[in-house]
Amino acid sequence: MTVLVTRGWPGAKRTATELRARGIDPIIAPVLDINFRARIEVDLTGVQGLVFTSGNGVRAWGPRRPERDLPVYTVGDSTAADARKAGFRKVLSANGDIHDLAALIKRKVKPQNGALLHVRGIHVAGDLAGALKADGYQVRDVIGYGAVAVDALREDAIAAILCGAPVAVLIHSARGAKTFLDLVRKFGLQAWLKSVTAYGISANALKPLENAGFAELVAAAHPSEEALLDLLVHPMELAPLGDAS
């Protein structure tokens, strides 16, 4: 089975490395380009901690801001590892999704001690500020990067789909899913989706692909990179969301 990695760089490289460690040699075909801001200008007065909901947020902050003494709260373990590598000393991971992150913050952070700064992209899944507002938390946002849709699928990815053999597409976000589907339609590949299974990091990430003609949509049991990649090694352990046609 051919595996397509659709997330943007540099995350795509890390996913490919993890796949090769599992004996799978993927095609790296990012559908989003990650563009980082030249500078992050923000006043940290009254901020008691930083929040990162992706590794790209950490990569945006790392070379552009010197602060490393603030506590960091991350949505998952991979992002937490990135934060530690960037030099942050106190890092707590929710090891889940945006709801798990909100629950972690409610357990560990007192709202009266100051605001939280969410370092994020232009597009973001979930409403962290909304999930915390009722409990008195103030979440400020700063944009560190943007994800721009690419114009075309790589030729080797197109060839893999056209050959009619089984193809697995890894989906890390709803926006990535929508962009992949837009490119499939742009290049007239819809008829070949019956041989393509989309594996998503969450059911929400796969929503844009519903009723699009995929053989199956299969979501990881837990919103983590490890759980997503384990689907390829143990595909029968989780039931699929169903035929997307």
Side-chain angles (χ1 to χ4, degrees):
M1 178 174 61
T2 300
V3 178
L4 305 184
V5 177
T6 63
R7 68 188 304 197
W9 298 96
K13 181 179 180 180
R14 182 163 59 189
T15 296
T17 299
E18 292 294 330
L19 284 170
R20 292 185 184 111
R22 288 166 166 79
I24 300 170
D25 190 19
I27 294 174
I28 304 177
V31 299
L32 298 172
D33 282 332
I34 307 300
N35 297 325
F36 295 100
R37 297 186 64 178
R39 295 179 300 277
I40 297 179
E41 297 179 356
V42 62
D43 182 2
L44 293 179
T45 302
V47 172
Q48 64 165 315
L50 302 177
V51 177
F52 295 109
T53 47
S54 81
N56 286 322
V58 178
R59 286 184 279 274
W61 186 271
R64 295 165 183 83
R65 298 290 304 202
E67 295 88 356
R68 296 293 186 274
D69 55 338
L70 288 169
V72 166
Y73 306 92
T74 72
V75 70
D77 291 349
S78 178
T79 302
D82 289 335
R84 294 185 185 101
K85 289 177 183 177
F88 290 100
R89 293 180 289 276
K90 183 178 180 182
V91 181
L92 296 178
S93 168
N95 189 27
D97 59 17
I98 200 75
H99 304 292
D100 297 310
L101 178 57
L104 171 69
I105 289 171
K106 290 176 184 179
R107 292 196 306 271
K108 300 294 185 179
V109 179
K110 296 180 179 179
Q112 62 269 27
N113 289 348
L116 294 168
L117 181 68
H118 183 190
V119 185
R120 65 178 185 85
I122 295 173
H123 302 91
V124 65
D127 181 9
L128 180 64
L132 293 171
K133 184 176 180 180
D135 293 284
Y137 291 90
Q138 179 188 359
V139 179
R140 294 161 49 189
D141 290 340
V142 62
I143 304 300
Y145 65 96
V148 180
V150 303
D151 294 329
L153 280 174
R154 282 177 47 121
E155 289 185 4
D156 50 356
I158 293 175
I161 294 171
L162 287 175
C163 79
V167 173
V169 178
L170 297 185
I171 299 296
H172 284 76
S173 69
R175 186 152 183 260
K178 180 183 182 303
T179 303
F180 178 75
L181 183 57
D182 288 344
L183 291 170
V184 163
R185 289 169 172 165
K186 178 180 178 179
F187 288 90
L189 304 175
Q190 300 96 309
W192 285 269
L193 289 180
K194 60 183 178 294
S195 300
V196 179
T197 297
Y199 294 91
I201 200 165
S202 68
N204 184 65
L206 291 171
K207 281 189 177 298
L209 305 183
E210 292 176 356
N211 304 312
F214 287 82
E216 289 181 342
L217 305 179
V218 184
H222 189 265
S224 70
E225 178 85 341
E226 182 178 4
L228 173 61
L229 301 189
D230 281 349
L231 290 177
L232 299 176
V233 181
H234 308 291
M236 300 307 295
E237 290 187 3
L238 292 176
L241 296 183
D243 189 329
S245 59

